[in-house]
């Protein structure tokens, strides 16, 4: 009986030590890191389109994209640069939280931002303001979305201006 009691006391002490260590370790984790400071997952447009449910909420860097259609200076769609022979090329929508992009159809770009679905974009923490116009909504409906913090040329020239 005494042996079992000692084992129980030692086990309880070990559990209490783990619990205290966990509370102390978690104490400094009340704030989330700045999303712009996180490393971005590098994807192509077709990969983003195929795996949006897996990468939604992650910071992504979409490479090899070409501007497909422009709904407004803050909303446009991308297609993969090499999707010329594809029957139905994969596309993604780009939404700027702030600023406007100086882009035209056919412009090759690299986009960095948070991957979202349409619902996640409209109710998530990085909502575009003002709300989407009807034309913007038609362009992005049923597409994976990147809420963009940066739109660059492949050479690194920033294409977004903030007013």
């Amino acid at each position: 009986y005494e042996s079992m009691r000692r084992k129980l006391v030692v086990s309880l002490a070990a559990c209490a030590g783990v619990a205290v260590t966990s509370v102390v370790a978690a104490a400094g984790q009340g704030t989330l890191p700045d999303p712009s400071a996180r490393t971005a997952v590098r994807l192509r447009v077709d990969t983003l389109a195929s795996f949006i449910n897996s990468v939604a909420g992650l910071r992504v860097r979409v490479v090899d994209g070409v501007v497909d259609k422009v709904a407004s200076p803050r909303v446009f769609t991308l297609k993969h640069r090499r999707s010329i022979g594809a029957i139905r090329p994969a596309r993604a929508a780009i939404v700027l939280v702030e600023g406007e992009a100086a882009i035209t159809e056919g412009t090759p770009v690299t986009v960095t931002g948070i991957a979202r679905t349409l619902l996640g974009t409209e109710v998530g923490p990085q909502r575009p303001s003002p709300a989407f116009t009807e034309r913007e909504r038609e362009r992005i409906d049923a597409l994976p979305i990147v809420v963009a913090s940066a739109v660059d040329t492949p050479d690194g020239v920033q294409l977004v201006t903030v007013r």
Side-chain angles (χ1 to χ4, degrees), residues 41-121:
V41 177
R42 186 178 170 167
L43 301 169
R44 294 185 325 225
V45 176
D46 54 343
T47 307
L48 175 66
S50 297
F51 297 101
I52 185 59
N53 291 331
S54 299
V55 298
L58 297 179
R59 188 163 188 259
V60 297
R61 183 168 177 86
V62 182
V63 297
D64 257 356
V66 174
V67 176
D68 184 34
K69 302 285 182 194
V70 178
S72 72
R74 69 180 189 133
V75 176
F76 57 95
T77 60
L78 286 185
K79 65 180 178 181
H80 191 280
R81 186 181 299 186
R82 296 184 208 117
S83 62
I84 295 170
I87 296 170
R88 185 172 179 204
R91 295 182 318 146
I94 308 302
V95 176
L96 298 172
V97 174
E98 59 183 26
E100 296 180 350
I103 53 160
T104 58
E105 292 179 11
T107 304
V109 294
T110 299
V111 178
T112 304
I114 307 297
R116 299 265 187 231
T117 60
L118 179 58
L119 180 61
T121 302

Side-chain angles (χ1 to χ4, degrees), residues 121-145:
T121 302
E122 292 182 324
V123 299
Q126 288 185 312
R127 283 189 291 270
S129 180
F132 294 123
T133 65
E134 190 61 36
R135 180 182 172 152
E136 291 171 338
R137 185 177 258 294
E138 287 173 5
R139 284 280 186 232
I140 65 176
D141 192 32
L143 292 177
I145 297 171

